[in-house]
């Protein structure tokens, strides 16, 4: 009985740990809408995986990375009305995913994909999550200064010898990977919030980028712990509970900070 | 001479300061199109070690585009760009808008420069007169402090060439003059070339060796006095530019209307005897210099 709870705790904390620093970059670079678009397209991956009878996790990762590359193209061509196009891409991929899902013979728990179902995480899914998070963490840490410099001023970074085009693709791809492996935990509709809210909370107290990244991981972990506890005692849906706790943490921090 | 004798520096740059100045940057017949807009047209530019070259021109003249081509951030549609071998460039972008969500101190910002060590950071801040903001938040700096910090970041790479895109943006008039004299001092102490973009020839005057007046093509170029009196310059900048020039060099080679406007069509010769009274009336601040 405690097995599934242990898996849930490990999976949730793993994700929160990685979502912290990655979420900071999403906040710093104003990429929230990109994250949304990526997560919405994840459902398309699920539908395609089911229809074509492919490995579900791999299909989702593949589709997310494909959309990520598309987004990099859109990001570099600033002349287009990016937010409108992102809106179109996000919601149409979600809708296409839902329509395709209606053609599949297998009964799937749609709710689980939209809002997450942390408590039913299997050992296999946990391994995917572990692999994905480890990969993203290694990429983030080994490129930390470069990514930071690129975030502050891309042209300055390029003149100083950084490969800015590579960094842009790299950042979008690791967001895609996290979204793809996290879908089972908080669901496609709530992934972005787990990336952004803890980072916003940490921003209130941080005095350096590193402090903010660490604080985001910490407050993310607290949200996971709190959400799981609420879900355990009051039988609330796990994914939304985690986001609610994260939001409460942010609100309380903002109030405390405002008083000072 | 500041160029260190690392193995990457070619032999001819590692010689003493009194050698023949080395060509750092050479642009030949550079064209740049964006879509169907012709932004640069057959632009030539030559910059030597120890030389300060200023690009002036109205908004949309292609100054920033030309700078980006010189830096290698943009590739010209046609024409050639030659940089000397292993040229180290220190770049100061037009503006630095750091997201308020990114908590970044001046020190941490400077640490982002490749191979920056703490001693260099302290030295660079001291050199640009911004040692006091080392631990300040980047977003809390005044316009002048921010420009100095950006200069410090540019210096951290031990540059042979400083490229400064509107280095006095967002700085008050007194601060602008200070910044230009700082740039001249940096050129002297580092013996580097300087390519900068400016809006105001009158302030750059004393700080620059050569001026290129750009409006898609090179309208005129040469020493600042020369350019300030060039009909092409006067046509481009009109009243404001001419008045600005008058403040500093005050050569009345052109005629003014009562309102102080330049009559550019007017051809001058020795028989021209200008009455300066109306001019002085239109520009009261000139009265002291004019002495009429």
């Amino acid at each position: 009985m405690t097995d599934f709870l242990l898996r849930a705790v490990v999976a949730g904390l793993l994700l929160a740990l990685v979502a912290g620093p990655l979420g900071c970059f999403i906040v710093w670079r104003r990429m929230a809408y990109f994250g949304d678009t990526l997560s919405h397209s994840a459902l398309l991956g699920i539908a395609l995986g089911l229809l074509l009878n492919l490995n579900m996790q791999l299909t989702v990762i593949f589709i997310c990375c494909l959309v990520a590359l598309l987004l990099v193209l859109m990001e570099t061509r600033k002349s287009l009305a990016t937010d409108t196009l992102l809106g179109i891409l996000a919601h149409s991929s979600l809708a296409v995913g839902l329509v395709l899902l209606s053609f599949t013979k297998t009964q799937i728990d749609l709710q689980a994909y939209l809002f997450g179902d942390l408590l039913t995480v299997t050992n296999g899914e946990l391994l995917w999550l572990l692999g994905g998070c480890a990969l993203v963490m290694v990429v983030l840490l080994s490129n930390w200064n470069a990514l930071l410099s690129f975030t502050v001023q891309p042209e300055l970074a390029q003149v100083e010898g950084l490969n800015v085009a590579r960094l842009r693709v790299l950042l979008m791809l690791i967001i895609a990977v996290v979204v793809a492996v996290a879908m089972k935990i908080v669901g496609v509709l709530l992934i972005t919030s787990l990336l952004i809210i803890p980072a916003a909370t940490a921003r209130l107290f941080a005095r350096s980028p590193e402090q903010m990244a660490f604080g985001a991981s910490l407050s993310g972990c607290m949200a996971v712990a709190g959400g799981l506890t609420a879900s355990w005692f009051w039988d609330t849906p796990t994914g939304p509970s985690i986001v609610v706790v994260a939001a409460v943490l942010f609100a309380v921090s903002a109030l405390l900070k405002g008083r000072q | 001479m500041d160029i260190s004798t690392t193995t990457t520096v070619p032999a001819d740059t590692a010689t003493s300061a009194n050698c023949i100045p080395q060509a750092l940057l050479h642009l030949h017949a550079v064209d740049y199109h964006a879509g169907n807009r012709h932004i640069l047209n057959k632009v030539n530019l030559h910059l030597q070690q120890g030389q300060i070259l200023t690009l002036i021109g109205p908004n949309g003249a292609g100054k920033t585009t030309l700078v980006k081509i010189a830096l290698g951030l943009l590739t010209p549609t046609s024409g050639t760009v030659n940089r000397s071998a292993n040229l180290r460039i220190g770049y100061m972008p037009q503006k630095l808008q750091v997201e308020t969500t990114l908590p970044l101190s001046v020190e941490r910002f400077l640490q982002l420069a490749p191979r920056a060590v703490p001693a260099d950071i302290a030295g660079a801040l001291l050199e640009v007169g911004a040692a006091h903001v080392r631990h300040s938040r980047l977003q809390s700096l005044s316009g002048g402090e921010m420009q100095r910090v950006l200069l410090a970041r540019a210096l951290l790479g031990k540059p042979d060439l400083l490229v400064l895109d509107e280095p006095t943006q967002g700085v008050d008039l007194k601060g602008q003059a200070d910044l230009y004299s700082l740039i001249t001092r940096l050129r002297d102490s580092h013996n580097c070339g300087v390519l900068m973009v400016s809006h105001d020839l009158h302030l750059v005057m004393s700080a620059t060796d050569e001026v290129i007046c750009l409006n898609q093509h090179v309208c005129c170029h040469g020493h600042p006095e020369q350019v300030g009196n060039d009909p092409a310059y006067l046509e481009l900048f009109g009243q404001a530019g001419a008045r600005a020039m008058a403040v500093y060099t005050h050569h009345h080679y052109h005629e003014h209307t009562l309102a102080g406007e330049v009559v550019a069509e007017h051809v001058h010769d020795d028989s021209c005897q200008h009455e300066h009274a109306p001019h002085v009336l239109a520009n009261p601040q000139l009265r002291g210099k004019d002495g009429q």
Side-chain angles (χ1 to χ4, degrees), chain B residues 29-191:
Chain B
V30 164
D31 267 34
Y32 188 78
H33 301 250
N36 44 20
R37 278 185 60 215
H38 205 159
I39 294 182
L40 292 174
N41 186 8
K42 299 268 174 294
V43 173
N44 295 322
L45 185 154
H46 185 83
L47 181 62
Q48 286 183 333
Q49 187 185 15
Q51 186 190 22
I52 299 184
L53 174 64
T54 305
L55 294 174
I56 58 165
N59 286 326
K63 303 187 295 286
T64 296
T65 305
L66 186 57
V67 162
K68 285 184 178 172
I69 287 173
L71 287 168
L73 290 172
L74 290 176
T75 312
T77 313
S78 67
T80 54
V81 178
N82 291 315
R83 291 176 210 92
S84 70
N86 301 312
L87 182 70
R88 283 184 305 250
I89 299 178
Y91 172 48
M92 181 172 168
Q94 195 172 66
K95 58 185 161 209
L96 182 72
Q97 275 181 326
V98 181
E99 283 289 325
T100 48
T101 51
L102 177 54
L104 202 62
S105 69
V106 168
E107 184 169 35
R108 187 71 187 86
F109 170 72
L110 294 177
Q111 282 167 2
L112 291 176
R115 297 173 298 279
V117 297
D120 286 350
I121 289 173
L125 278 174
L126 205 64
E127 204 172 355
V128 299
H132 60 289
V133 298
R134 183 169 178 176
H135 300 289
S136 306
R137 266 173 55 98
L138 207 58
Q139 292 93 337
S140 72
L141 302 184
S142 73
E145 287 167 343
M146 178 59 106
Q147 300 308 93
R148 280 163 195 266
V149 167
L150 284 174
L151 258 178
R153 169 102 177 238
L155 289 178
L156 282 174
K158 301 191 169 44
D160 312 312
L161 170 64
L162 278 173
V163 179
L164 318 171
D165 196 348
E166 294 196 26
T168 62
Q169 199 176 51
V171 181
D172 61 51
L173 214 61
K174 167 76 172 70
Q176 291 185 13
D178 290 348
L179 262 176
Y180 284 125
S181 62
L182 171 64
I183 290 165
T184 311
R185 282 205 304 280
L186 292 177
R187 183 269 313 262
D188 295 340
S189 56
H190 292 254
N191 195 25

Side-chain angles (χ1 to χ4, degrees), chain A residues 19-29 144 195 199 202 209 212-214 216, chain B residues 101:
Chain A
L22 192 59
C24 288
F25 278 108
I26 293 178
V27 168
W28 295 333
R29 304 202 63 232
W144 184 258
L195 286 166
M212 180 160 156
F214 182 75
Chain B
T101 51

Side-chain angles (χ1 to χ4, degrees), chain A residues 111-132:
Chain A
Q111 185 110 0
Y113 288 115
L114 289 180
F115 302 107
D117 194 358
L118 187 49
L119 297 176
T120 64
V121 168
T122 63
N123 278 331
E125 285 165 341
L126 192 59
L127 275 180
W128 272 107
L129 184 71
L130 185 68

Side-chain angles (χ1 to χ4, degrees), chain A residues 21-66:
Chain A
L22 192 59
C24 288
F25 278 108
I26 293 178
V27 168
W28 295 333
R29 304 202 63 232
R30 300 196 176 203
M31 292 169 76
Y33 227 148
F34 287 93
D36 255 349
T37 308
L38 277 174
S39 58
H40 284 44
S41 65
L43 199 73
L44 187 61
I46 295 279
L48 284 177
L50 279 174
L51 269 180
L52 306 173
N53 208 12
L54 301 167
N55 180 308
M56 191 84 89
Q57 199 59 259
L58 273 179
T59 316
V60 173
I61 292 178
F62 177 75
I63 292 288
C64 281
C65 288
L66 205 66

